[in-house]
Amino acid sequence: GENVEQHPSTLSVQEGDSAVIKCTYSDSASNYFPWYKQELGKRPQLIIDIRSNVGEKKDQRIAVTLNKTAKHFSLHITETQPEDSAVYFCAASWRSQGNLIFGKGTKLSVKP
Amino acid sequence: NAGVTQTPKFQVLKTGQSMTLQCAQDMNHNSMYWYRQDPGMGLRLIYYSASEGTTDKGEVPNGYNVSRLNKREFSLRLESAAPSQTSVYFCASSEGPGELFFGEGSRLTVL
């Protein structure tokens, strides 16, 4: 089955710096790669996603890159702010119905 | 719109007791899912239902059963709860391969 590895597990940055979180996946048939943000005690919410026919996607301060050959994708957050502090999860699609297999998460702390 | 609604939000069980987590969505989505979240383990797929009338196992199905009652509702049952099933359970729905919409979560403790 699909396996998604996510690194690092914790990340601490100064406000205004950039943060990068990396994920690798095992199933070459995966074609959908979303990123979710989960604040403490809340439900996960989608922040950005990318499909396999695209190499990069941006939404304001957030960008995701995908390298299908190497089976890895990354989340980039620029000009970090304290409200970016949360746990971020990457995921990759598994089977055809849209099931998502998640990485174990990265706890991002942005220090003012 | 309420989105995805889960009940109960909190539950404490004794080992061996049974219970059902209820989930309903009002977005007319075909696909529904049950995940569990444990510290340091991310979200792990228990069961999913690609469409009304179908269910299938995910990554960690042992000890659970599910029922897709209709297009709106997808329940998760623990027949004989074990301490290893202490977790936060999330129900989610989607329209095929795309964004998952999660419920608020159900925190289950098994003593």
Side-chain angles (χ1 to χ4, degrees):
Chain A
E2 175 71 282
N3 184 46
V4 178
E5 299 282 343
Q6 182 172 347
H7 299 280
S9 56
T10 60
L11 180 59
S12 182
V13 300
Q14 288 294 134
E15 183 177 358
D17 286 351
S18 295
V20 180
I21 303 170
K22 299 183 179 182
C23 289
T24 59
Y25 61 97
S26 60
D27 186 356
S28 56
S30 295
N31 59 10
Y32 175 63
F33 308 92
W35 287 87
Y36 285 79
K37 176 183 180 182
Q38 186 179 29
E39 297 176 348
L40 190 63
K42 301 286 183 66
R43 73 190 86 187
Q45 292 193 298
L46 180 73
I47 55 170
I48 195 167
D49 57 10
I50 191 168
R51 296 189 185 270
S52 58
N53 57 347
V54 175
E56 183 176 359
K57 184 177 179 181
K58 277 187 175 181
D59 183 4
Q60 298 182 351
R61 297 186 295 110
I62 294 173
V64 58
T65 59
L66 171 65
N67 183 327
K68 283 223 75 178
T69 303
K71 294 185 196 170
H72 67 71
F73 56 113
S74 301
L75 177 72
H76 304 253
I77 306 174
T78 58
E79 300 172 20
T80 53
Q81 301 167 2
E83 51 265 39
D84 293 329
S85 296
V87 179
Y88 291 81
F89 293 97
C90 64
S93 59
W94 178 55
R95 301 185 180 171
S96 62
Q97 294 90 349
N99 305 329
L100 293 180
I101 302 300
F102 285 82
K104 293 184 178 180
T106 297
K107 184 176 181 180
L108 174 64
S109 300
V110 180
K111 299 179 180 177
Chain B
N1 284 348
V4 178
T5 304
Q6 293 180 231
T7 56
K9 289 188 169 50
F10 300 94
Q11 183 72 50
V12 178
L13 292 177
K14 294 181 180 178
T15 297
Q17 288 185 318
S18 62
M19 77 158 297
T20 300
L21 296 174
Q22 307 284 356
C23 175
Q25 52 94 8
D26 62 4
M27 294 174 283
N28 203 35
H29 287 163
N30 282 315
S31 302
M32 297 186 72
Y33 314 84
W34 277 105
Y35 285 88
R36 62 177 287 174
Q37 184 173 33
D38 303 293
M41 296 298 293
L43 292 146
R44 291 183 291 170
L45 181 63
I46 305 171
Y47 269 93
Y48 65 95
S49 172
S51 61
E52 185 179 355
T54 69
T55 62
D56 213 338
K57 295 177 181 179
E59 302 171 90
V60 289
N62 291 346
Y64 305 95
N65 285 302
V66 290
S67 295
R68 184 74 182 266
L69 305 169
N70 48 54
K71 191 171 186 179
R72 290 187 64 248
E73 298 173 289
F74 188 39
S75 63
L76 178 71
R77 183 161 179 83
L78 287 70
E79 289 291 352
S80 179
S84 60
Q85 294 178 304
T86 293
S87 188
V88 179
Y89 291 85
F90 285 99
C91 178
S93 69
S94 73
E95 190 48 53
E99 181 177 1
L100 291 185
F101 292 85
F102 287 90
E104 291 184 311
S106 298
R107 186 175 294 275
L108 175 65
T109 301
V110 183
L111 303 175

